[in-house]
Amino acid sequence: MDRRLAVLSDFDGTITTTDVAEDLLARFAPPTWEDIERLHRARMIGTRETMARQFALVHAGRGELVDYAARTAKMDPAVPAFLRFCRGRGIPFEIVSEGLDFYLHALIKSWDLDVPVRTNRAVFEDGRVRIEYPFADPSCTLCGTCKLDRVFELRVAGYRVVYVGDGDSDLCPA
């Protein structure tokens, strides 16, 4: 008997046509955010440390960041049809993202997407952004949202998992 399918997808650069987090950093952080990104690309630091260090440089409020994301982020045009395909066949679809909740939830709401999301949480305090990791694997410090954990949870529940994403944080689940 065939196992049921489930689909997990990255958000930044997968659901969206660009990396929204990087777009926000390019607009609202000093250029030193790119030095941190180079350390990440060289695999010297993980995604969790990268995001924490980069977004600590941002000096903008939640509203300003959400407004910018809403004006500039674009959904990949194939996403609505793919979601209809999944719904029509009873295939669960979830977003698992290293991005941040404040822009991700605002965008999926504005695009009228009704999908479960696991992502990092941004806390705005004293003019700064601090990141919390409700979906991190406590035994690993690489990612804030452990996408591989979700793959394993779905497999244990009897699903074959299709994973969509091509970024550094997508290596483990892929």
Side-chain angles (χ1 to χ4, degrees), residues 11 16 20 24 62-71 73 95 100-113 117 119:
F11 185 77
T16 60
V20 178
L24 292 172
R62 176 188 297 264
E64 188 176 9
L65 294 167
V66 169
D67 288 346
Y68 185 79
R71 284 193 317 274
I95 293 171
L100 297 172
D101 61 343
F102 71 92
Y103 69 79
L104 199 149
H105 289 296
L107 290 171
I108 65 173
K109 183 178 179 181
S110 73
W111 295 333
D112 200 29
L113 302 181
V117 173
T119 193

Side-chain angles (χ1 to χ4, degrees), residues 49-103:
E49 182 178 348
T50 300
M51 293 284 288
R53 288 173 62 180
Q54 289 174 325
F55 274 88
L57 299 170
V58 170
H59 293 284
R62 176 188 297 264
E64 188 176 9
L65 294 167
V66 169
D67 288 346
Y68 185 79
R71 284 193 317 274
T72 60
K74 305 286 183 252
M75 179 175 37
D76 184 299
V79 169
F82 185 65
L83 288 176
R84 283 192 303 275
F85 172 87
C86 288
R87 277 194 199 102
R89 287 159 181 77
I91 300 170
F93 180 96
E94 295 179 28
I95 293 171
V96 286
S97 174
E98 276 293 85
L100 297 172
D101 61 343
F102 71 92
Y103 69 79

Side-chain angles (χ1 to χ4, degrees), residues 21 61 70 132:
E132 294 178 347

